[in-house]
Structure formats: C-alpha cells, structure tokens
Amino acid sequence: MEIVEEPKPERADPLTSGLAVAQGAFYLATGVWPIVHLRSFEAVTGPKLEGWLVKTVGALIAVVGGTLLAAGLRRRVSPELKLLATGSAASLAAVDVIYSPQRISPVYLLDAVAEGVLIAGWCVAGARTWKRQGVQPPPPQYTSPEDAAGFPT
C-alpha cells in the first residue's frame, strides 16, 4: 500500500485570513445568540413563530462561522472555504432583502449591508489573488484531428 501525502495548502494572505476571522466571529456570535437567549434575539429582530427553526438556522450559521474562524486563525483558507463564505453571505443577504419589506423586521436590512460588505471583501480578495497569480495562457487549440493526435504536419 502506497502512502500518499497531501500537499500542504498555501498560507492565506492577511486580507483573506482577516475576512475569514471577521465573518467567522460575526456568524458565530449571531448564530449562537438565538440559541442562548431567544427572548433578547426576538426583542431586536421581532417575534418568531417557530423558535426551534430560529435555533436551527442559528446553529447552522454558527457552524459556518466556527469553521471560517478556525480556518482564518490558522491562515488556511481554501478555495472551497472562500466559496462557502461568499455563498453564505449572498444567501443571507438575499433573504434579508427579499423578505424584510414583507415578513421580517427591517433590522434585517442592516444585516444585508453587513453581508454586502463581506461579499465585497471576498471579491477584492479574489481579485488580488487572481492578479498575484497572473493570467494563465489559454490551452493550445487544435485545428485538425492530426494535430490532436500529435502527428507532424
């Protein structure tokens, strides 16, 4: 049996790890809040019909936050974690914006602003990484089956 070593991930730059720490701490705090004290959470965000559902969503947000926080502190923010961070922020912002005028408290629009700042931060970090790596040339284009097979022309 052959032992295969996984390559060690690159250390994240300060912006990327800082974003992961900031978003992780924010999500961990806001996710745990309704679990620890639902009454104060509802005092700020408005009454909720299903306390168990609020706590479930809070637990999921806290798990995402804890994961981002741990990765940011270790400076090991993988592309998959960047996708999780950006996708989570975009999903929460969409819910905030879509439902705030109709069904939920307008205070959620403040959360939408915070999520927008996080999304912008991840976009800036991604652009900086892309720029630092440089533009890769496109793969060679084949014009005939002979070229693709490697036959001399």
Side-chain angles (χ1 to χ4, degrees), residues 1 4 23 28 31 35 49 52-53 73 77-78 88 101 109 120 145 148 150:
M1 178 178 212
V4 178
Q23 185 173 355
L28 188 58
I35 297 168
L49 295 176
W52 69 270
L53 185 57
L73 290 173
V77 184
S78 67
S88 296
L109 292 176

Side-chain angles (χ1 to χ4, degrees), residues 8-71:
K8 291 185 180 179
E10 290 184 29
R11 291 181 65 81
D13 64 86
L15 175 61
T16 301
S17 58
L19 273 168
V21 168
Q23 185 173 355
F26 177 56
Y27 279 20
L28 188 58
T30 56
V32 169
W33 182 17
I35 297 168
V36 172
H37 202 266
L38 184 60
R39 193 176 319 166
S40 67
F41 182 80
E42 288 181 318
V44 172
T45 63
K48 308 289 185 265
L49 295 176
E50 302 283 351
W52 69 270
L53 185 57
V54 174
K55 291 179 180 184
T56 300
V57 172
L60 292 171
I61 291 171
V63 168
V64 171
T67 303
L68 289 170
L69 183 61

Side-chain angles (χ1 to χ4, degrees), residues 49-139:
L49 295 176
E50 302 283 351
W52 69 270
L53 185 57
V54 174
K55 291 179 180 184
T56 300
V57 172
L60 292 171
I61 291 171
V63 168
V64 171
T67 303
L68 289 170
L69 183 61
L73 290 173
R74 295 181 67 220
R75 294 192 66 190
R76 302 282 190 224
V77 184
S78 67
E80 296 84 3
L81 222 56
K82 293 174 189 178
L83 181 62
L84 175 67
T86 309
S88 296
S91 299
L92 292 171
V95 169
D96 292 341
V97 170
I98 291 168
Y99 293 106
S100 189
Q102 306 162 344
R103 296 182 170 202
I104 59 178
S105 169
V107 76
Y108 282 97
L109 292 176
L110 292 174
D111 183 64
V113 171
E115 303 297 345
V117 169
L118 290 168
I119 293 166
W122 286 111
C123 289
V124 168
R128 286 176 59 179
T129 300
W130 182 74
K131 184 177 179 183
R132 191 173 49 249
Q133 292 174 346
V135 178
Q136 299 296 321

